[in-house]
Amino acid sequence: MTILDYYKKELIKLKDQPPKKRWEYIWEYYKIHLGVMLLVLVLLIHGIVNICTHKDTVFTGVLINTTLTADSSSFMEDLRDHMDVGKKEQISFSTNIFMTNQSADKAVALQSIMASITIKELDMVTGPAEAFQICAYNASNMFADLRDYMDAAQLEKHAERLYYIDGAILKKLNAPVGTQVDLSQLVYPDPHKPEMMEEPIAVGIDVSDRTEFIAAYFIPEGRHYLGMITNTTRPETVLEFIDYLFP
């Protein structure tokens, strides 16, 4: 008997059965088949939904010690228009990282940021002066030297805003165990006076007076800085964001 003949015979059996008996018969003999079909259908729908809703991330940032506000959506929409971000693309800013000078807070926050950097999923970090200094000096080479990416016009425009760290101090902090300096005795130089440093590196830019940005993310009063991640795969996008903040 062929498979087709078999199913014809089964249909004849069911034809004269009441609906309840038909269902009991189908469930008894075909429940595994129905389960497999249902599973395939669920997986198919899940795959279609993922394909239809998936968005490519074109720019990412961690905004330390910030909170979303009523202005966040309009700021993001304007930024998307400026960067010509498509419907299937997204910009992702994380506002769930909080950092203070307390050792526990510092360690947890740095680990979270470094995890994103390790898998190359982070383009920039912004933060208040204290947090930015922690990132710049306590995480080896977190930030790129902006002088390697900005052109002459940009460097001239932002000369007074650049945030510097001393590479000589960074080397001491990242020296082999047993040869590191006593952190309690360490004095960090003024980040806006590169002439007072042995090896000045421009790792950030002051964005404290960018009112739209401040309002959109409830950024606390005081100096606030932006830094480009060393291993970002989208340095041009970070520069485009800086240009957006400083039209």
Side-chain angles (χ1 to χ4, degrees):
M1 181 185 296
T2 65
I3 294 177
L4 183 60
D5 291 336
Y6 172 78
Y7 281 110
K8 284 182 178 179
K9 184 178 180 183
E10 293 298 303
L11 287 173
I12 292 172
K13 287 182 182 179
L14 291 174
K15 186 176 181 181
D16 298 324
Q17 298 291 329
K20 183 178 180 182
K21 287 291 185 181
R22 291 181 188 176
W23 171 247
E24 289 176 350
Y25 180 86
I26 292 172
W27 181 250
E28 177 67 26
Y29 291 98
Y30 300 104
K31 57 187 174 185
I32 294 178
H33 302 75
L34 290 172
V36 172
M37 289 173 63
L38 181 60
L39 178 60
V40 171
L41 181 61
V42 169
L43 292 175
L44 180 62
I45 293 173
H46 179 70
I48 292 173
V49 170
N50 279 344
I51 292 172
C52 293
T53 60
H54 174 75
K55 293 184 178 181
D56 293 323
T57 300
V58 296
F59 185 37
T60 61
V62 167
L63 315 183
I64 301 173
N65 296 3
T66 63
T67 305
L68 293 174
T69 72
D71 296 326
S72 301
S73 296
S74 58
F75 177 86
M76 185 59 71
E77 283 304 313
D78 191 59
L79 176 61
R80 287 175 60 89
D81 289 342
H82 175 83
M83 291 186 167
D84 195 24
V85 176
K87 293 182 179 180
K88 293 292 186 179
E89 298 173 323
Q90 67 177 352
I91 296 172
S92 176
F93 286 170
S94 172
T95 59
N96 61 357
I97 299 292
F98 292 88
M99 186 184 297
T100 67
N101 223 0
Q102 305 254 340
S103 58
D105 294 336
K106 184 166 59 179
V108 171
L110 282 173
Q111 286 174 5
S112 178
I113 293 172
M114 291 306 297
S116 296
I117 292 174
T118 300
I119 57 177
K120 296 185 177 181
E121 287 191 354
L122 189 58
D123 299 313
M124 73 164 191
V125 166
T126 73
E130 181 183 52
F132 199 80
Q133 178 177 282
I134 291 171
C135 289
Y137 279 108
N138 288 275
S140 179
N141 300 322
M142 177 184 288
F143 296 126
D145 190 335
L146 292 176
R147 296 172 301 180
D148 293 336
Y149 295 91
M150 288 182 170
D151 58 31
Q154 289 173 313
L155 287 173
E156 182 179 1
K157 179 179 180 179
H158 301 301
E160 299 300 317
R161 297 177 176 275
L162 293 180
Y163 179 105
Y164 290 85
I165 61 172
D166 193 337
I169 293 179
L170 193 62
K171 289 176 182 177
K172 292 177 182 178
L173 290 170
N174 291 293
V177 177
T179 63
Q180 295 172 316
V181 297
D182 182 355
L183 296 183
S184 64
Q185 302 298 317
L186 190 61
V187 177
Y188 295 100
D190 186 326
H192 296 286
K193 293 183 178 180
E195 68 275 8
M196 304 299 292
M197 303 177 185
E198 291 182 45
E199 300 177 26
I201 306 172
V203 298
I205 183 170
D206 189 345
V207 295
S208 306
D209 62 351
R210 300 298 90 186
T211 54
E212 293 83 1
F213 183 53
I214 300 299
Y217 294 97
F218 199 66
I219 293 173
E221 293 183 2
R223 292 291 184 92
H224 204 86
Y225 300 95
L226 179 156
M228 179 192 295
I229 299 303
T230 302
N231 69 345
T232 175
T233 58
R234 297 178 284 254
E236 70 288 342
T237 308
V238 179
L239 295 179
E240 187 176 359
F241 180 64
I242 292 174
D243 287 341
Y244 170 75
L245 293 179
F246 299 93

